[in-house]
Amino acid sequence: MQYRSVLPGVALCLAGLLGCSSASTTPDDASAPADVTASFSAMTAVTTLGQNCMPVVASDPLSLRGSITLTNTGTVPIGPITLSAGLVIRVLGGETMATFAVTPVTLAAVAPGQSGTVDFTKTAGSLAGDAGVSGCEIVPCDSPVRIALRLTGPHLPDGARAFSEPMPMPCTH
């Protein structure tokens, strides 16, 4: 029996490629037909990234701020979109190195053909990695990483994320 994914864009998004693309969704409102396809691209821009690895190292040394921009390339409004969590992803291999919370923010619904941007800030004390690993060992200094933010809201597929460009993890020693 053959299976065909109804979420073709999610595979690209979850693979760590830049932006997220189209996916079939079930609308949450009666104004859109049931076979609606939400198409979008989303990008994370990091403005502050670094770890304070000077003694004594905190259990969560990571500082992170930035914004996400979502462009609606489809035919129905997307959102409102909520950001509440993120990931630090290893560029080589694509594994999740750590998770973190962001101060919950909402991007207003984005109309077809429009873009919206919202700023985010990582919640202090929220960095979590593998069991038994803490401080600057969670995300090793200078390792190439990408920051991904989880996006949730009407007409977004489960697992939708916005990714940053690859960058090294800067540390202060």
Side-chain angles (χ1 to χ4, degrees), residues 15-27:
L17 300 174
L18 289 179
C20 299
S21 59
S22 67
S24 298
T25 64
T26 303

Side-chain angles (χ1 to χ4, degrees), residues 24-147:
S24 298
T25 64
T26 303
D28 292 338
D29 62 21
S31 65
D35 61 351
V36 141
T37 298
S39 297
F40 65 97
S41 64
M43 184 67 168
T44 299
V46 175
T47 56
T48 302
L49 177 67
Q51 295 188 111
N52 182 353
C53 298
M54 295 171 45
V56 169
V57 178
S59 59
D60 177 1
L62 182 66
S63 296
L64 173 62
R65 290 178 183 260
S67 63
I68 70 112
T69 299
L70 183 131
T71 301
N72 183 344
T73 58
T75 59
V76 297
I78 299 174
I81 300 146
T82 302
L83 310 172
S84 60
L87 307 119
V88 179
I89 299 172
R90 186 181 320 276
V91 170
L92 301 174
E95 304 92 32
T96 298
M97 300 172 77
T99 60
F100 59 88
V102 297
T103 303
V105 293
T106 301
L107 175 62
V110 180
Q114 301 294 310
S115 295
T117 300
V118 65
D119 293 334
F120 70 89
T121 301
K122 179 190 149 295
T123 305
S126 67
L127 187 68
D130 291 335
V133 180
S134 65
C136 292
E137 294 175 356
I138 297 173
V139 182
C141 296
D142 299 320
S143 58
V145 299
R146 291 181 117 164
I147 304 301

